[in-house]
Amino acid sequence: MKDEILDKIRSSGITGVKKADLKKVFGKTCDGILEELQANEQIFIEKKGVAYFVWTSENYVQHVTQNDPKFKLMLNMFAGVNQSIAKVKAHADVLQEELERASLRETGSKHDDFEGVFNSSLNESSTSIGWVPFDKIREKVCENQNLSKEKFYQMATNLIENHHDRYEVSSGGQEGIVMRGLVHGYVRNI
């Protein structure tokens, strides 16, 4: 019976159906079913004049949109707010992408600066045979680039692995980069 009542209400469209007409067709027991449907927000009941009309929730929204200028105005304003929010979100996404690109450029720039400072420190500290302890270079680069010891050795390892044709490392020393399981504490230009 509940489905039959809901079908009858749905078929009435945006004009709705009188509650009294439903009682004539389905009897007085439809009051309880209508209350249950209303509690579940499947229907909407409104008093118009002396009669109560019943709509499905979707049909009621269409009914009010067509017949109530205030509701129509508020609905249009709400749609405008939604569009504004969508525009702000799209703008925020663009800004986020730009920030990420700028961060990548800054990281790349810092890496380029690291290579330059590393090379100048290596050239300044170079002996007659060219070997320089990593700790000597680290002190200068970390001071100049404001890097931690770990970050320096991570970046130095990447630099030497990426440019093995420009640098040569030698094992030994107190500290250095670890390659093939050995601490390499000395470096020179090739």
Side-chain angles (χ1 to χ4, degrees):
M1 187 157 153
K2 180 177 171 182
D3 290 337
E4 293 171 5
I5 293 174
L6 195 54
D7 286 340
K8 178 75 173 166
I9 296 168
R10 193 174 289 123
S11 68
S12 68
I14 64 170
T15 57
V17 63
K18 286 184 181 179
K19 189 175 179 182
D21 292 344
L22 291 173
K23 282 185 183 180
K24 287 178 189 173
V25 174
F26 298 105
K28 293 188 185 244
T29 58
C30 81
D31 278 336
I33 294 171
L34 291 175
E35 287 177 19
E36 180 185 337
L37 291 170
Q38 188 175 18
N40 293 334
E41 297 180 0
Q42 291 178 285
I43 64 166
F44 191 85
I45 301 173
E46 181 181 83
K47 185 175 184 181
K48 289 174 60 176
V50 293
Y52 286 92
F53 282 80
V54 184
W55 294 268
T56 60
S57 297
E58 299 83 17
N59 286 340
Y60 182 72
V61 170
Q62 289 179 351
H63 165 75
V64 175
T65 302
Q66 288 183 3
N67 297 311
D68 187 346
K70 291 177 190 174
F71 184 82
K72 189 174 188 176
L73 178 67
M74 288 174 51
L75 191 63
N76 289 338
M77 289 174 62
F78 182 71
V81 168
N82 278 343
Q83 289 175 349
S84 296
I85 289 171
K87 286 179 184 177
V88 168
K89 185 177 179 334
H91 188 65
D93 290 344
V94 167
L95 288 175
Q96 180 68 31
E97 288 174 10
E98 287 180 20
L99 280 172
E100 288 170 2
R101 281 194 298 266
S103 176
L104 288 174
R105 282 193 304 269
E106 184 178 311
T107 302
S109 170
K110 191 167 188 170
H111 180 71
D112 293 343
D113 291 347
F114 174 82
E115 185 175 348
V117 173
F118 183 90
N119 286 333
S120 67
S121 298
L122 179 61
N123 292 334
E124 289 171 11
S125 305
S126 184
T127 63
S128 60
I129 57 172
W131 291 105
V132 179
F134 264 110
D135 59 347
K136 221 174 190 185
I137 297 171
R138 179 186 53 80
E139 289 171 2
K140 290 181 181 180
V141 173
C142 286
E143 182 180 320
N144 182 286
Q145 296 283 296
N146 194 24
L147 297 173
S148 68
K149 183 177 179 179
E150 294 78 20
K151 186 68 175 172
F152 167 81
Y153 281 116
Q154 176 189 5
M155 292 176 81
T157 301
N158 288 340
L159 178 65
I160 290 169
E161 285 178 351
N162 290 333
H163 301 288
H164 59 276
D165 57 325
R166 293 186 354 213
Y167 304 102
E168 184 178 5
V169 292
S170 177
S171 60
Q174 298 297 321
E175 63 181 65
I177 64 171
V178 178
M179 295 179 73
R180 297 177 299 278
L182 293 172
V183 174
H184 291 77
Y186 299 94
V187 64
R188 72 176 178 179
N189 281 323
I190 297 178

